[in-house]
């Protein structure tokens, strides 16, 4: 073990009785075209971005393997319960490349036999048989970035696919996978409640096991931040969310997290683990990790720019920054995640994941109950409807006190 790894195993500010479940996130950073609203670590590949030639798939897969090998001392002996291949547009990689990636993962880590293995796919990269080949490579769950089934909004969002391709991709996913997800966005430029209902008609018509529905946000440093489109006002956006929640509930999907709706047995284990403040090792350009040790919780970030990531990984330096989460910040970090869960959490989970006594939460919990944002039954803590509507205010109650 090198000296920086040894540090992680030393005595520290907290004491964890057991380590949380571990997930693996793998970031594939390229897209055909950058969407104007997107602030993810995604980079255009192709003529439009001035590149000639094929994506450096083999070189990137080699970097991922090296990255995982270098990370092994941080996760020795721990089983991996899920893999999420996200992006970017992972479906740009060939099925043979994904097969190689998953073989490398299986060779290096203890992947549970029933591990959930998700791959993000874009309908613009869909070709007949491709999804089936991803399934054969070991992917168990596809997450399709549909956004809308209406060409007008797909154009407004700068997407590379059209509505017909979106329908074809979802129909094919339903054929090839026992479980899959559709990503939709709402409060789109020029969208009315009627338009949203038409998107929901199509989405629910496919009877997807899982739906993720996101409010379009205008993120800093995106094209939309400097050229903001006209989007529905706040009241209309609230009405849209009410409509989404009511229609999915009536048709049998449970809203188990702020943006996630699932049929029984189809919750996303990987994301569920994030919200339960579980551990994840993130490999690939710009990937984030959260890893627990007996006496500390550590966050890592990898180099964002793909070439820099590949070059630095070849030198054994995939990680660009590493920080220990202070005992003072752990309560807020835990609550930021756990309060997103519709059914809340048991207070014992707080101690299990942070190594801190639940008294650390008491003052803020009481305040949240007084505001009518939280309800408690014994040790079970759950946001109320109102608390869910004012989630960022509720989460902010758990921020550490500023130093006096
Ligand atoms: C990491 S992206 C990757 C999915 C894939 N690259 C795609 O776009 O088809 C996952 C999802 O986040 C959502 N998303 C991305 N940017 C967003 C934004 N600014 N506001 C709301 N949702 C966003 C989209 O629904 C997208 O499908
Ligand atoms: S396809 Fe997805 S990851 Fe790529 S730019 Fe668009 S939203 Fe971002």
């Amino acid at each position: 073990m090198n000296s920086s790894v040894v540090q992680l195993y030393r005595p520290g500010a907290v004491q964890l009785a057991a380590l949380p479940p571990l997930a693996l996130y793998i970031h594939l950073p390229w897209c055909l075209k950058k969407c104007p609203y997107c602030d993810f670590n995604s980079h255009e590949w192709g003529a439009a971005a001035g590149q000639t030639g094929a994506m450096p798939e083999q070189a990137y897969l080699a970097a991922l393997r090296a990255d995982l090998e270098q990370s092994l001392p941080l996760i020795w002996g721990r089983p991996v319960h899920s893999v999420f291949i996200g992006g970017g547009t992972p479906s740009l990689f060939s099925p043979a490349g994904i097969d190689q990636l998953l073989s490398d993962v299986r060779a290096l880590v203890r992947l549970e036999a029933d591990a959930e293995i998700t791959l993000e796919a874009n309908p613009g990269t869909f070709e007949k048989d491709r999804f089936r080949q991803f399934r054969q490579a070991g992917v168990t769950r596809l997450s399709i970035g549909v956004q809308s089934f209406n060409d007008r909004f797909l154009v407004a969002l700068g997407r590379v696919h059209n509505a017909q391709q979106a329908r074809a991709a979802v129909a094919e996913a339903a054929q090839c996978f026992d479980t899959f997800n559709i990503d939709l966005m709402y409060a789109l430029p020029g969208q009315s409640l009627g338009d949203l209902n038409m998107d929901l008609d199509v989405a629910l018509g496919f009877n997807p096991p899982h739906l993720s529905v996101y409010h379009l946000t205008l993120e800093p440093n995106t094209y939309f931040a400097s050229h903001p489109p006209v989007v529905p006002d706040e009241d209309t956006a609230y009405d849209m969310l009410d409509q989404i929640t009511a229609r999915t509930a009536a048709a049998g999907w449970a809203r188990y997290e702020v943006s996630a709706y699932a049929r029984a047995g189809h919750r996303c284990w990987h994301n569920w683990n994030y919200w339960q403040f579980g551990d994840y090792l993130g490999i690939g350009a710009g990937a984030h990790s959260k890893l627990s040790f007996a006496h500390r919780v550590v966050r890592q970030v990898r180099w964002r720019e793909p070439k820099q990531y590949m070059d630095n990984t070849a030198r054994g330096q995939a990680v660009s920054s590493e920080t220990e989460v202070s005992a003072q910040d752990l309560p807020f970090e835990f609550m930021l995640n756990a309060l997103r869960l519709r059914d809340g959490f048991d207070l014992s989970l707080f101690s299990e994941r942070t190594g801190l006594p639940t008294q650390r939460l008491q003052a803020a919990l009481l305040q949240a109950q007084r505001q009518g944002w939280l309800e408690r039954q014994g040790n079970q803590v759950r946001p109320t409807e109102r608390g869910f509507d004012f989630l960022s205010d509720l989460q902010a109650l758990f921020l550490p006190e500023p130093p006096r």
Side-chain angles (χ1 to χ4, degrees), residues 37 40 87-88 120 122 145 147 159 183 185 214-217:
Y37 55 85
F40 288 92
E120 280 185 339
N122 183 319
Q147 322 313 346
R159 298 292 296 186
D183 275 346
M185 292 196 288
Y214 303 105
H215 185 165
L216 172 68
T217 46

Side-chain angles (χ1 to χ4, degrees), residues 175-214:
Q175 287 277 320
C176 303
F177 287 88
D178 298 332
T179 194
F180 67 93
N181 167 59
I182 296 180
D183 275 346
L184 286 181
M185 292 196 288
Y186 71 98
L188 305 178
Q191 191 180 35
S192 68
L193 205 52
D195 295 326
L196 169 76
N197 270 313
M198 282 195 267
D199 263 350
L200 286 176
D201 287 343
V202 182
L204 300 184
F206 281 109
N207 198 14
H210 194 286
L211 262 176
S212 300
V213 193
Y214 303 105

